[in-house]
Amino acid sequence: MNIFPENMQAKHERECQLLTENALECIWTYDIGTEKFTYVSPSVIRLRGFTVDETMRQSLADMMPQDSLDKANNTTKLLMERYQNGERQSTMLSLTGDFELYCKDTSIKQVEITVKLLHDEESDSFEILGVSRDITERKRLEEQLSQAIEVKNNVI
């Protein structure tokens, strides 16, 4: 059942498209059953240097070092366990964590990823809705600050 009149639905769809295509963060969806991305916003080019099409063809193992891959898989497993144990609160089906991602230029970026488990009751399929934010510079500055504090503590 459509809750919007036709012209309102078209306007709503255009607004959603504008938001996802122009967000600084990379917005994506990942089908847990097929282990494939079903949507990746164009900001992935800015984040990783790969096009949307290139990213859509990559597996998680192609995208991240083993430690981050293990963390991502454990996060998905935890969210699925919560859902299967009857949890339906949005806050309990969402998590945020720091990961590393490979870039096209062979560099590795630090990213903060927020994920939310989504269940499509019609198809009984599960997806992860994710938002990835580049925090490489923040991590670099935190490390510099930590080193400066350590030097001062050693002097004292």
Side-chain angles (χ1 to χ4, degrees):
M1 178 176 185
N2 189 350
I3 61 170
F4 297 110
E6 192 172 314
N7 63 340
M8 288 297 290
Q9 182 171 349
K11 182 179 185 292
H12 177 73
E13 288 173 3
R14 277 193 309 277
E15 289 171 348
C16 287
Q17 183 178 5
L18 278 171
L19 288 170
T20 58
E21 289 182 357
N22 293 291
L24 293 176
E25 290 84 9
C26 181
I27 301 166
W28 48 270
T29 54
Y30 181 81
D31 185 289
I32 294 172
T34 63
E35 297 183 355
K36 301 270 184 217
F37 286 91
T38 55
Y39 175 80
V40 178
S41 67
S43 56
V44 72
I45 297 168
R46 199 172 35 250
L47 179 65
R48 298 183 56 231
F50 290 99
T51 66
V52 170
D53 289 337
E54 289 171 325
T55 303
M56 296 281 287
R57 289 191 299 268
Q58 292 178 324
S59 69
L60 286 181
D62 295 333
M63 296 183 156
M64 52 182 58
Q66 190 64 48
D67 288 348
S68 288
L69 179 61
D70 292 344
K71 186 176 177 181
N73 288 332
N74 289 335
T75 297
T76 300
K77 183 179 174 185
L78 174 63
L79 293 176
M80 287 296 296
E81 286 173 358
R82 286 179 180 176
Y83 189 89
Q84 290 165 345
N85 288 330
E87 185 60 66
R88 296 299 183 269
Q89 287 185 28
S90 182
T91 56
M92 294 302 292
L93 297 175
S94 301
L95 290 170
T96 299
D98 294 351
F99 297 82
E100 293 182 326
L101 291 179
Y102 295 129
C103 297
K104 194 169 192 171
D105 67 4
T106 71
S107 66
I108 295 177
K109 283 196 177 171
Q110 302 284 324
V111 293
E112 178 184 82
I113 300 177
T114 300
V115 295
K116 179 178 181 179
L117 181 69
L118 303 176
H119 180 231
D120 182 338
E121 291 186 19
E122 267 185 43
S123 65
D124 195 32
S125 62
F126 290 89
E127 271 190 329
I128 296 288
L129 168 63
V131 178
S132 302
R133 170 182 294 127
D134 184 355
I135 59 168
T136 305
E137 182 65 12
R138 182 179 89 194
K139 288 290 192 179
R140 187 185 66 74
L141 293 172
E142 286 173 358
E143 180 61 28
Q144 284 180 348
L145 180 60
S146 177
Q147 289 174 356
I149 290 170
E150 186 177 328
V151 166
K152 285 189 178 205
N153 284 340
N154 289 338
V155 168
I156 293 173

